[in-house]
């Protein structure tokens, strides 16, 4: 298919030194101002050929919407805000999440604003600022707690949002979450089936709802299998640290060390595995190990370790899809999805 080239086909040059406007695109394409405006707003009633024509002309002249004007006319900002937890528990989490959201809004009228939060206590104030100043049409938050104050705040304001993670509020809200209960059960079953009878689970953040979902399922599954289970919460310990590596060494030296370990963080798993090897533990023989996977790094460094994958890029796509539907007024209870874990058994 031949692409539309407005300058070549009409002999009209891109105006130099001037900001491209709707009128610029109208002149280049020969379409009316109203058609151009409707197309740039994602008008589904227009023909695909018309939308493509306008999009290519807009890209060629470097058209950028006047957000202030859009906001005055419609009350919309055409912005999605991602309030992103700065935790380094999951390798490549931020990059994959942002890429997924960015790809999902491609071709829409929306832009992405990323607001990283390295101090989780300030996250509520970040959300409050968005609400009070209406700097976005919708919000995505990550790392939710059981009674997350950010969720309560946005529900009180009836503001469109979606969370990466569930909560325990009675009022429904839009969310997408990794099925952490399935992760915990799958890991315990795998270790039990391969001979482990004393399993330790390492969980990094005891404040999130994800922690409670994992631990409850872990305790229930080890009880059902008739084996021993231990829970170690490593809140406050940096995942990639000498302290985390020392934890692995200490485990290796314990006379009552576990024969199976589950870790919900790829970063902590790498540090812990290095410590276990420092202590002379042979993985797969002395201790069996399973961890949550968000990148290919651990499987490259430790190719024989079992992992259970969460696709964070796909989560970014799904969160955006749900948020756009919520912005359009769809009921929150219809916008709740889970992603299933994918096992990679290597040992």
């Amino acid at each position: 298919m031949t692409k539309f080239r407005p300058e070549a086909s009409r002999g009209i040059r891109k105006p130099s030194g001037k900001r491209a406007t709707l009128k610029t695109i109208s002149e280049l394409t020969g379409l009316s101002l109203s058609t151009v405006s409707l197309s740039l707003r994602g008008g589904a009633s227009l023909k695909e050929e018309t939308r493509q024509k306008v999009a290519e002309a807009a890209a060629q002249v470097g058209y950028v919407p006047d957000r202030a004007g859009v906001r005055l006319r419609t009350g919309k900002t055409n912005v999605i805000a991602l309030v992103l937890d700065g935790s380094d528990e999951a390798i490549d989490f931020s990059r994959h999440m942002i890429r997924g959201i960015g790809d999902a809004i491609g071709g829409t009228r929306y832009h992405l604003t990323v607001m990283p939060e390295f101090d989780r206590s300030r996250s509520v104030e970040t959300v409050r600022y968005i609400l009070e100043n209406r700097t976005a049409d919708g919000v995505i938050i990550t790392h939710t707690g059981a009674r997350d104050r950010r969720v309560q705040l946005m529900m009180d304001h009836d503001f469109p949002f979606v969370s990466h993670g569930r909560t325990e509020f009675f009022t429904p809200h839009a969310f997408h979450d990794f099925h952490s209960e399935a992760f915990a059960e799958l890991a315990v079953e795998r270790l039990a089936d391969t001979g482990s009878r004393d399993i330790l689970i390492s969980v990094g953040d005891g404040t999130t709802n994800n922690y409670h979902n994992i631990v409850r399922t872990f305790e229930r599954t080890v009880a059902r299998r008739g084996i021993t289970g231990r829970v170690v919460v490593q809140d406050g310990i940096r995942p990639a640290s000498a302290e985390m590596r020392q934890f692995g060494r200490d485990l290796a030296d314990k006379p009552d060390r576990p024969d199976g370990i589950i870790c919900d963080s790829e970063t902590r798993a790498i540090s812990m595995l290095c410590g276990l090897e420092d202590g002379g533990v042979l993985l797969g023989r002395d201790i069996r190990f399973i961890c949550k996977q968000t990148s290919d790094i651990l499987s490259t460094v430790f190719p024989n370790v079992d992992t259970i994958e969460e696709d964070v890029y796909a989560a970014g796509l799904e969160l955006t899809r749900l948020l756009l539907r919520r912005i359009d007024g769809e009921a929150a209870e219809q916008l709740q999805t889970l992603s299933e874990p994918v096992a990679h058994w290597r040992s």
Side-chain angles (χ1 to χ4, degrees):
M1 180 175 65
T2 303
K3 288 191 174 183
F4 169 69
R5 300 181 181 275
E7 294 180 34
S9 62
R10 297 183 177 276
I12 300 175
R13 293 184 177 180
K14 170 185 172 181
S16 59
K18 295 182 180 180
R19 179 189 175 108
T21 65
L22 294 180
K23 184 178 179 181
T24 309
I25 300 172
S26 174
E27 290 174 349
L28 289 173
T29 60
L31 299 169
S32 68
L33 280 171
S34 60
T35 300
V36 170
S37 176
L38 178 61
S39 179
L40 291 172
R41 295 199 309 271
S45 61
L46 297 176
K47 294 180 180 178
E48 174 61 29
E49 180 183 356
T50 300
R51 293 201 301 272
Q52 182 179 348
K53 190 176 185 180
V54 171
E56 291 183 355
Q60 187 161 342
V61 300
Y63 173 76
V64 177
D66 181 350
R67 292 191 189 177
V70 170
R71 187 170 181 177
L72 284 172
R73 290 193 306 272
T74 67
K76 298 288 187 181
T77 64
N78 291 345
V79 171
I80 287 173
L82 169 63
V83 181
L84 181 64
D85 190 285
S87 167
D88 54 359
E89 287 285 334
I91 295 176
D92 271 352
F93 179 90
S94 297
R95 182 173 69 87
H96 289 317
M97 177 66 69
I98 292 170
R99 187 166 66 90
I101 296 171
D103 284 353
I105 62 174
T108 74
R109 65 180 180 273
Y110 288 99
H111 302 266
L112 175 65
T113 297
V114 181
M115 310 179 80
E117 287 293 354
F118 298 98
D119 180 356
R120 190 170 294 173
S121 64
R122 298 181 58 185
S123 192
V124 175
E125 295 310 311
T126 298
V127 170
R128 193 185 308 278
Y129 176 85
I130 295 170
L131 296 177
E132 291 177 351
N133 294 278
R134 292 287 164 168
T135 57
D137 296 335
V139 173
I140 298 171
I141 61 173
T142 66
H143 298 76
T144 54
R147 305 292 294 179
D148 199 293
R149 292 171 59 201
R150 300 167 300 171
V151 170
Q152 183 67 67
L153 189 60
M154 289 187 283
M155 288 196 298
D156 289 346
H157 283 75
D158 194 25
F159 190 81
F161 76 96
V162 61
S163 63
H164 185 236
R166 288 162 280 172
T167 65
E168 293 181 356
F169 287 105
F170 177 76
T171 303
H173 65 82
F175 69 75
H176 176 68
D177 198 9
F178 179 62
H179 197 169
S180 50
E181 298 93 330
F183 159 78
E185 183 174 12
L186 195 59
V188 172
E189 295 285 2
R190 167 67 171 175
L191 290 175
D193 288 346
T194 52
S196 294
R197 291 296 174 263
D198 183 1
I199 301 175
L200 178 148
I201 186 165
S202 163
V203 189
D205 188 347
T207 67
T208 63
N209 204 50
N210 182 66
Y211 161 82
H212 296 289
N213 292 336
I214 288 176
V215 169
R216 279 195 298 261
T217 304
F218 172 78
E219 292 175 338
R220 184 173 61 246
T221 309
V222 295
R224 176 169 53 78
R225 291 298 301 254
I227 57 180
T228 301
R230 318 182 202 179
V231 178
V232 175
V233 183
Q234 292 166 320
D235 219 349
I237 301 177
R238 288 197 65 249
S241 65
E243 190 176 4
M244 195 69 243
R245 188 165 185 159
Q246 185 61 48
F247 175 79
R249 291 193 196 101
D250 293 342
L251 270 183
D253 290 338
K254 286 183 180 296
D256 63 339
R257 70 187 179 202
D259 56 10
I261 297 176
I262 302 169
C263 186
D264 74 335
S265 160
E266 191 172 348
T267 313
R268 273 184 292 112
I270 291 173
S271 297
M272 196 188 311
L273 286 164
C274 289
L276 288 168
E277 289 196 338
D278 291 345
V281 166
L282 183 62
L283 296 174
R285 186 195 68 184
D286 301 327
I287 292 180
R288 297 175 179 84
F289 200 102
I290 297 179
C291 91
K292 183 177 175 183
Q293 175 184 345
T294 53
S295 79
D296 294 327
I297 295 177
L298 183 137
S299 59
T300 300
V301 179
F302 297 97
N304 295 322
V305 169
D306 288 341
T307 62
I308 299 176
E309 181 183 2
E310 175 184 10
D311 189 336
V312 181
Y313 170 77
L317 293 173
E318 177 68 359
L319 286 163
T320 309
R321 184 182 72 85
L322 295 174
L323 180 58
L324 296 183
R325 289 167 60 187
R326 184 72 183 120
I327 291 172
D328 288 340
E330 193 165 337
E333 54 265 33
Q334 304 300 319
L335 305 174
Q336 300 176 336
T337 60
L338 294 176
S339 65
E340 295 301 322
V342 178
H344 300 284
W345 303 147
R346 300 181 175 92
S347 60

